[in-house]
Amino acid sequence: MHYDQSWMGYGLVGGLEAGGISAVVALLVYFIVYAFGRKQGWSPLRMIAIAFLVSLLLTASGDMWDLIYFNYAPMNSLQYLKARLAQVHDPDNIGQRVFWEMIGALVGAGLGWIFRGGDWRGALRGD
């Protein structure tokens, strides 16, 4: 789903802003999933994965769709391509923006797990 990106920067700055939005959304989604998942007996990894995927659906799906569309859809008309590119914010760096949205969603879901009392020291030790 596309959200208003007109205020965002271009290049790396825009990618980091999009990643920050994804991180915040993933953090909030993790808290919602945690409230539901602990009653169901879900593992922490399942809750992180669900928060990650739902936040990608909410924040990055529009950019991912544009990235796939521009790479694989047949563009038979130059005018159609120009019109389609005019609808996208920063089409030159769309791949970088998708990358940072994915990183942000992963970081946000992981921070949600840590804030809810996740045993991150044990996870780093391999316990």
Side-chain angles (χ1 to χ4, degrees):
M1 147 175 68
H2 282 282
Y3 55 90
D4 181 28
Q5 298 175 344
S6 62
W7 59 271
M8 294 174 72
Y10 292 91
L12 181 61
V13 173
L16 291 175
E17 289 171 347
I21 291 169
S22 291
V24 170
V25 169
L27 183 68
L28 296 175
V29 169
Y30 181 83
F31 291 144
I32 293 168
V33 169
Y34 179 81
F36 179 75
R38 69 183 160 98
K39 294 176 185 175
Q40 302 296 321
W42 289 355
S43 69
L45 185 60
R46 177 182 277 185
M47 290 186 270
I48 290 171
I50 290 172
F52 172 74
L53 292 174
V54 169
S55 67
L56 282 184
L57 181 68
L58 294 174
T59 61
S61 60
D63 290 333
M64 284 183 190
W65 171 252
D66 288 338
L67 184 65
I68 292 169
Y69 182 79
F70 289 132
N71 281 313
Y72 294 110
M75 297 290 175
N76 297 330
S77 168
L78 186 60
Q79 289 81 16
Y80 177 70
L81 177 62
K82 286 181 182 179
R84 190 74 177 105
L85 283 172
Q87 297 172 352
V88 176
H89 174 74
D90 193 17
D92 293 334
N93 296 304
I94 194 167
Q96 184 178 31
R97 197 166 56 244
V98 168
F99 172 76
W100 286 111
E101 284 170 337
M102 293 175 81
I103 296 297
L106 185 62
V107 167
L111 284 176
W113 173 69
I114 290 172
F115 291 160
R116 290 300 304 165
D119 184 21
W120 59 275
R121 288 189 178 122
L124 289 176
R125 283 192 310 261
D127 296 341

